[in-house]
Amino acid sequence: MTWLQRWLPHPLFTGFLVLLWLLMNQFSFAHLLLGSVLAVVISLVTQPFWPERSRVKYPGKLLVYLGRLLLDILKSNLVVARRILFQSDDLKPGFFTYPLSLTDDFAVTMLASTISLTPGTVSAHYDREGRTLLIHCLHLDDEEALIQDIHRRYELPLQEIFDD
Amino acid sequence: MTVSTMPFLLELVVSLFLIAGALFALIGSIGLARLRDFFMRLHGPTKASTLGLGCLLVGSLLYFSFQRGTVSVHEAIVTVFLFATAPVSAHMMAKAALFRGVGKGGPSRNYPDR
């Protein structure tokens, strides 16, 4: 392990923190210094929490994914809003388990967050051994179709992005 | 700070964002009041309120960017963190509720038995 690797285990994360600090404050040399110290210390302290290094293989595809996610969030909000306002008494809520084919921890986190942000679903439990996600759905109509939809829309692109 | 007059179009866009944001936040709250069990109520804060706040922040971003003449990045940062953290808190609440057996025998089907 080189000197640099020991002090900067996650260079991207450290850089992100410095940038964040500068964006939140007026730019000055003092803030650059303080931000850098904080960024290095925080990335060292949080290092044990990083499960393993996840590699984003295709950043461009990640951007496309995030863009589509934003659209889906808008759409899902309209759907959920309509259900809350007009059919809150005929809703059939329920749980279902989603079989994961992703293995990368960070990719799974992304998928679970995506599921929580989109149409009427909230991820409730991640079973690491059985490799499934437990998902609660506001209106569970057709379980199979929903699983297929999540797989096609989100899991496959994530698989490509992280080359999992 | 001198308040410079904004072009009508920008004013319109900012107002639209504010109204949309307020509406979504309201719907989220209605959901919180009307839905029947814990897991259903969880859907309100993760979606409607997140997007509601997102819209408000975009409105604020446009307004202050114009007023100060520079891009106001605080709102953008807040939005990003909001969208990144809301699912995590929802996930943790759902996990805790499952662990304690909240809502067992309620309207939600296929309640996992563990």
Coordinates of all heavy atoms in Angstrom, one line a residue, chain B residues 20-81:
Chain B
A20 N -46.7 23.8 -7.5 CA -46.6 22.4 -7.7 C -46.0 21.7 -6.4 O -46.5 20.7 -5.9 CB -45.8 22.0 -8.9
G21 N -45.0 22.4 -5.9 CA -44.3 21.8 -4.7 C -45.3 21.8 -3.5 O -45.4 20.8 -2.8
A22 N -46.0 22.9 -3.3 CA -47.0 23.0 -2.2 C -48.0 21.9 -2.4 O -48.4 21.2 -1.4 CB -47.6 24.3 -2.2
L23 N -48.5 21.7 -3.7 CA -49.6 20.7 -3.9 C -49.1 19.3 -3.6 O -49.8 18.6 -2.9 CB -50.0 20.8 -5.4 CG -51.2 21.6 -5.7 CD1 -51.4 21.5 -7.2 CD2 -52.4 21.2 -4.9
F24 N -47.9 19.0 -4.0 CA -47.3 17.6 -3.7 C -47.2 17.4 -2.2 O -47.5 16.4 -1.7 CB -46.0 17.4 -4.5 CG -46.2 17.0 -5.9 CD1 -45.7 17.7 -6.9 CD2 -46.9 15.8 -6.2 CE1 -45.9 17.3 -8.2 CE2 -47.1 15.4 -7.5 CZ -46.6 16.1 -8.5
A25 N -46.7 18.5 -1.5 CA -46.5 18.3 -0.1 C -47.8 18.1 0.6 O -48.0 17.3 1.5 CB -45.8 19.6 0.5
L26 N -48.9 18.8 0.1 CA -50.2 18.7 0.6 C -50.7 17.3 0.4 O -51.3 16.7 1.3 CB -51.1 19.7 0.0 CG -52.6 19.7 0.4 CD1 -52.7 20.1 1.9 CD2 -53.5 20.5 -0.4
I27 N -50.6 16.8 -0.8 CA -51.0 15.5 -1.1 C -50.3 14.4 -0.2 O -51.0 13.5 0.3 CB -50.8 15.1 -2.6 CG1 -51.8 16.0 -3.4 CG2 -51.1 13.7 -2.9 CD1 -51.5 16.0 -4.9
G28 N -49.0 14.6 0.0 CA -48.3 13.7 0.9 C -48.9 13.7 2.3 O -49.1 12.7 2.9
S29 N -49.3 14.9 2.7 CA -49.8 15.0 4.1 C -51.2 14.4 4.1 O -51.6 13.7 5.1 CB -49.9 16.4 4.5 OG -48.7 17.1 4.3
I30 N -52.0 14.6 3.1 CA -53.3 13.9 3.0 C -53.2 12.4 3.1 O -53.9 11.7 3.8 CB -54.1 14.4 1.7 CG1 -54.4 15.8 1.8 CG2 -55.4 13.5 1.6 CD1 -55.1 16.4 0.6
G31 N -52.2 11.9 2.3 CA -51.9 10.5 2.3 C -51.6 10.0 3.7 O -52.1 9.0 4.2
L32 N -50.8 10.8 4.4 CA -50.4 10.4 5.8 C -51.6 10.3 6.7 O -51.7 9.4 7.5 CB -49.5 11.5 6.3 CG -48.3 11.1 7.3 CD1 -47.5 10.0 6.7 CD2 -47.5 12.3 7.5
A33 N -52.6 11.1 6.4 CA -53.8 11.1 7.3 C -54.8 10.0 6.8 O -55.5 9.5 7.7 CB -54.5 12.5 7.2
R34 N -54.9 9.7 5.5 CA -55.9 8.9 5.1 C -55.6 7.4 4.9 O -56.5 6.5 5.0 CB -56.4 9.4 3.7 CG -57.5 10.4 3.8 CD -57.8 11.0 2.5 NE -58.7 10.1 1.8 CZ -59.4 10.4 0.7 NH1 -59.2 11.6 0.2 NH2 -60.2 9.6 0.0
L35 N -54.3 7.1 4.6 CA -54.0 5.7 4.4 C -54.1 4.9 5.7 O -54.0 5.4 6.8 CB -52.6 5.6 3.8 CG -52.5 6.3 2.4 CD1 -51.1 6.3 1.8 CD2 -53.4 5.6 1.4
R36 N -54.2 3.6 5.5 CA -54.7 2.8 6.6 C -53.7 2.1 7.5 O -53.9 2.0 8.6 CB -55.7 1.7 6.1 CG -57.0 2.2 5.8 CD -57.8 1.3 4.9 NE -57.1 1.1 3.6 CZ -57.4 0.1 2.8 NH1 -58.2 -0.8 3.0 NH2 -56.8 0.1 1.6
D37 N -52.5 1.7 6.9 CA -51.6 1.2 7.9 C -50.2 1.8 7.7 O -49.9 2.6 6.8 CB -51.5 -0.4 7.8 CG -50.7 -0.9 6.6 OD1 -50.5 -0.1 5.7 OD2 -50.3 -2.0 6.6
F38 N -49.3 1.4 8.6 CA -48.0 2.0 8.6 C -47.3 2.0 7.3 O -46.7 3.0 6.8 CB -47.1 1.3 9.7 CG -45.7 1.8 9.7 CD1 -45.4 2.9 10.4 CD2 -44.7 1.1 9.1 CE1 -44.1 3.4 10.4 CE2 -43.4 1.6 9.1 CZ -43.1 2.7 9.8
F39 N -47.3 0.8 6.7 CA -46.5 0.6 5.4 C -47.1 1.5 4.3 O -46.3 2.0 3.4 CB -46.4 -0.8 5.0 CG -45.6 -1.6 6.0 CD1 -46.1 -2.3 7.0 CD2 -44.2 -1.5 5.9 CE1 -45.4 -3.0 7.9 CE2 -43.4 -2.2 6.8 CZ -44.0 -3.0 7.8
M40 N -48.4 1.7 4.3 CA -49.0 2.5 3.3 C -48.6 4.0 3.5 O -48.3 4.7 2.6 CB -50.5 2.4 3.3 CG -51.0 1.0 2.8 SD -52.7 0.8 3.1 CE -53.4 1.6 1.6
R41 N -48.6 4.3 4.8 CA -48.3 5.7 5.1 C -46.9 6.1 4.8 O -46.5 7.2 4.5 CB -48.6 6.0 6.6 CG -50.1 6.1 6.9 CD -50.3 6.7 8.2 NE -50.0 5.8 9.3 CZ -50.8 5.0 9.8 NH1 -52.1 4.9 9.4 NH2 -50.5 4.2 10.8
L42 N -46.0 5.0 4.7 CA -44.6 5.2 4.4 C -44.4 5.8 3.0 O -43.5 6.4 2.7 CB -43.9 3.9 4.5 CG -42.4 3.8 4.9 CD1 -42.2 4.6 6.1 CD2 -42.0 2.4 5.1
H43 N -45.4 5.5 2.1 CA -45.3 6.0 0.7 C -45.4 7.5 0.6 O -44.8 8.0 -0.3 CB -46.3 5.3 -0.1 CG -46.1 3.8 -0.3 ND1 -45.3 3.3 -1.3 CD2 -46.5 2.8 0.4 CE1 -45.3 2.0 -1.2 NE2 -46.0 1.6 -0.2
G44 N -46.1 8.1 1.5 CA -46.3 9.5 1.4 C -45.0 10.3 1.5 O -44.6 11.0 0.5
P45 N -44.3 10.2 2.6 CA -43.1 11.0 2.8 C -42.0 10.6 1.7 O -41.3 11.5 1.3 CB -42.6 10.6 4.1 CG -43.7 9.9 4.8 CD -44.7 9.4 3.8
T46 N -41.9 9.3 1.3 CA -40.8 9.0 0.4 C -41.1 9.6 -1.0 O -40.1 9.9 -1.7 CB -40.6 7.5 0.2 OG1 -41.9 6.9 0.1 CG2 -39.8 7.0 1.3
K47 N -42.3 9.8 -1.4 CA -42.6 10.2 -2.8 C -43.1 11.6 -2.8 O -42.4 12.6 -3.2 CB -43.5 9.3 -3.5 CG -42.9 7.9 -3.6 CD -43.7 7.0 -4.4 CE -43.1 5.6 -4.2 NZ -43.3 5.2 -2.8
A48 N -44.3 11.8 -2.4 CA -45.0 13.1 -2.6 C -44.2 14.2 -1.9 O -43.9 15.2 -2.5 CB -46.4 13.0 -2.0
S49 N -43.8 14.0 -0.7 CA -43.1 15.1 0.0 C -41.7 15.3 -0.5 O -41.3 16.5 -0.6 CB -43.0 14.7 1.5 OG -44.3 14.4 2.0
T50 N -41.1 14.3 -1.0 CA -39.7 14.5 -1.6 C -39.9 15.3 -2.8 O -39.1 16.3 -3.0 CB -39.1 13.2 -1.9 OG1 -39.1 12.3 -0.8 CG2 -37.7 13.4 -2.3
L51 N -40.8 15.0 -3.7 CA -40.9 15.7 -4.9 C -41.5 17.1 -4.6 O -41.0 18.1 -5.3 CB -41.9 15.0 -5.9 CG -41.9 15.7 -7.2 CD1 -40.6 15.5 -8.0 CD2 -43.1 15.3 -8.1
G52 N -42.3 17.3 -3.6 CA -42.9 18.6 -3.3 C -41.7 19.5 -2.9 O -41.6 20.6 -3.4
L53 N -40.9 19.0 -2.0 CA -39.7 19.8 -1.5 C -38.8 20.1 -2.7 O -38.2 21.2 -2.8 CB -39.0 19.0 -0.4 CG -39.3 19.5 1.0 CD1 -38.6 18.6 2.0 CD2 -38.9 20.9 1.2
G54 N -38.6 19.1 -3.6 CA -37.8 19.2 -4.7 C -38.2 20.4 -5.6 O -37.5 21.3 -6.0
C55 N -39.6 20.5 -5.8 CA -40.1 21.5 -6.6 C -39.9 22.9 -6.0 O -39.5 23.9 -6.6 CB -41.6 21.3 -6.8 SG -42.0 20.1 -8.0
L56 N -40.2 23.0 -4.7 CA -39.9 24.2 -3.9 C -38.5 24.7 -4.1 O -38.2 25.9 -4.3 CB -40.3 24.0 -2.4 CG -41.8 23.8 -2.1 CD1 -41.9 23.6 -0.6 CD2 -42.6 25.0 -2.5
L57 N -37.6 23.7 -3.9 CA -36.2 24.1 -4.0 C -35.8 24.5 -5.4 O -35.0 25.5 -5.5 CB -35.3 22.9 -3.6 CG -35.3 22.6 -2.1 CD1 -34.8 21.2 -1.8 CD2 -34.5 23.7 -1.4
V58 N -36.3 23.9 -6.4 CA -36.0 24.4 -7.8 C -36.5 25.8 -8.0 O -35.9 26.7 -8.5 CB -36.7 23.5 -8.9 CG1 -36.5 24.1 -10.2 CG2 -36.0 22.1 -8.8
G59 N -37.7 26.1 -7.4 CA -38.3 27.5 -7.5 C -37.3 28.4 -6.8 O -37.0 29.5 -7.3
S60 N -36.9 28.1 -5.6 CA -36.0 28.9 -4.8 C -34.7 29.1 -5.6 O -34.1 30.2 -5.6 CB -35.8 28.2 -3.5 OG -34.6 28.7 -2.9
L61 N -34.2 28.0 -6.2 CA -32.9 28.1 -6.9 C -33.0 29.1 -8.1 O -32.2 30.0 -8.2 CB -32.6 26.7 -7.5 CG -31.3 26.5 -8.2 CD1 -30.6 25.4 -7.7 CD2 -31.5 26.3 -9.7
L62 N -34.1 29.1 -8.8 CA -34.3 30.0 -9.9 C -34.4 31.4 -9.4 O -33.7 32.3 -9.9 CB -35.6 29.6 -10.7 CG -35.5 28.4 -11.5 CD1 -36.9 28.0 -12.1 CD2 -34.5 28.5 -12.6
Y63 N -35.2 31.6 -8.4 CA -35.4 33.0 -7.9 C -34.1 33.6 -7.4 O -33.7 34.7 -7.8 CB -36.4 32.9 -6.7 CG -36.7 34.2 -6.1 CD1 -37.6 35.1 -6.7 CD2 -36.1 34.6 -4.9 CE1 -37.9 36.4 -6.2 CE2 -36.4 35.9 -4.4 CZ -37.3 36.7 -5.0 OH -37.5 37.9 -4.5
F64 N -33.4 32.9 -6.5 CA -32.2 33.4 -6.0 C -31.0 33.5 -7.0 O -30.2 34.4 -6.9 CB -31.7 32.7 -4.7 CG -32.6 33.1 -3.5 CD1 -33.5 32.2 -3.1 CD2 -32.5 34.3 -2.9 CE1 -34.4 32.5 -2.0 CE2 -33.3 34.7 -1.9 CZ -34.2 33.8 -1.4
S65 N -31.0 32.6 -7.9 CA -30.0 32.7 -9.0 C -30.2 34.0 -9.7 O -29.2 34.7 -10.1 CB -30.1 31.5 -10.0 OG -29.8 30.3 -9.3
F66 N -31.5 34.3 -10.0 CA -31.7 35.6 -10.7 C -31.4 36.8 -9.8 O -30.8 37.8 -10.3 CB -33.2 35.6 -11.1 CG -33.5 36.9 -11.9 CD1 -33.2 37.0 -13.2 CD2 -34.2 37.9 -11.2 CE1 -33.5 38.2 -13.9 CE2 -34.4 39.1 -11.9 CZ -34.1 39.2 -13.3
Q67 N -31.8 36.8 -8.6 CA -31.6 37.9 -7.7 C -30.2 38.3 -7.5 O -29.8 39.4 -7.4 CB -32.3 37.7 -6.4 CG -33.8 37.7 -6.4 CD -34.3 39.1 -6.7 OE1 -33.7 40.1 -6.4 NE2 -35.6 39.2 -7.2
R68 N -29.4 37.2 -7.3 CA -27.9 37.4 -7.0 C -27.1 37.5 -8.3 O -25.9 37.9 -8.2 CB -27.4 36.3 -6.1 CG -28.2 36.3 -4.8 CD -27.3 35.8 -3.7 NE -28.0 35.7 -2.5 CZ -28.4 34.6 -1.9 NH1 -28.1 33.4 -2.5 NH2 -29.1 34.5 -0.8
G69 N -27.6 37.1 -9.4 CA -26.9 37.1 -10.6 C -25.9 35.9 -10.8 O -25.2 35.8 -11.7
T70 N -25.8 35.1 -9.7 CA -24.9 33.9 -9.8 C -25.8 32.7 -9.6 O -26.8 32.8 -8.9 CB -23.8 33.9 -8.8 OG1 -24.4 34.1 -7.5 CG2 -22.8 35.0 -9.1
V71 N -25.3 31.5 -10.0 CA -26.1 30.3 -9.8 C -26.0 30.0 -8.3 O -25.0 29.9 -7.7 CB -25.5 29.1 -10.6 CG1 -26.3 27.9 -10.3 CG2 -25.6 29.5 -12.1
S72 N -27.2 29.8 -7.7 CA -27.3 29.5 -6.3 C -27.2 28.0 -6.2 O -28.2 27.3 -6.5 CB -28.6 30.1 -5.8 OG -28.9 29.5 -4.5
V73 N -26.1 27.4 -5.6 CA -25.9 26.0 -5.6 C -26.5 25.3 -4.4 O -26.6 24.1 -4.4 CB -24.5 25.6 -5.8 CG1 -24.1 25.8 -7.2 CG2 -23.6 26.4 -4.9
H74 N -26.7 26.1 -3.3 CA -27.2 25.5 -2.1 C -28.4 24.6 -2.3 O -28.5 23.5 -1.8 CB -27.5 26.5 -1.0 CG -26.3 27.1 -0.4 ND1 -26.0 28.5 -0.6 CD2 -25.3 26.6 0.3 CE1 -24.8 28.7 0.0 NE2 -24.4 27.6 0.6
E75 N -29.4 25.1 -3.0 CA -30.6 24.4 -3.3 C -30.3 23.1 -4.0 O -30.9 22.1 -3.7 CB -31.6 25.2 -4.0 CG -32.3 26.3 -3.2 CD -31.5 27.6 -3.3 OE1 -30.4 27.6 -3.7 OE2 -32.1 28.7 -2.9
A76 N -29.4 23.2 -5.0 CA -29.1 22.0 -5.8 C -28.6 20.9 -4.9 O -28.9 19.8 -4.9 CB -28.1 22.3 -6.9
I77 N -27.7 21.3 -3.9 CA -27.1 20.4 -3.0 C -28.1 19.8 -2.1 O -28.2 18.5 -1.9 CB -26.0 21.0 -2.2 CG1 -24.8 21.5 -3.1 CG2 -25.4 20.1 -1.2 CD1 -23.8 22.3 -2.4
V78 N -29.0 20.6 -1.6 CA -30.1 20.2 -0.7 C -30.9 19.1 -1.4 O -31.3 18.1 -0.9 CB -30.9 21.3 -0.2 CG1 -32.1 20.8 0.6 CG2 -30.1 22.3 0.7
T79 N -31.3 19.5 -2.7 CA -32.1 18.6 -3.5 C -31.5 17.2 -3.6 O -32.1 16.2 -3.4 CB -32.4 19.1 -4.9 OG1 -32.8 20.5 -4.7 CG2 -33.5 18.4 -5.6
V80 N -30.2 17.2 -4.0 CA -29.5 15.9 -4.2 C -29.5 15.1 -2.9 O -29.8 13.9 -3.0 CB -28.0 16.2 -4.7 CG1 -27.2 14.9 -4.6 CG2 -28.1 16.8 -6.1
F81 N -29.2 15.8 -1.8 CA -29.1 15.0 -0.6 C -30.5 14.5 -0.2 O -30.6 13.4 0.4 CB -28.5 15.9 0.6 CG -27.0 15.9 0.5 CD1 -26.3 17.0 0.4 CD2 -26.3 14.7 0.6 CE1 -25.0 17.0 0.4 CE2 -25.0 14.6 0.5 CZ -24.3 15.8 0.4

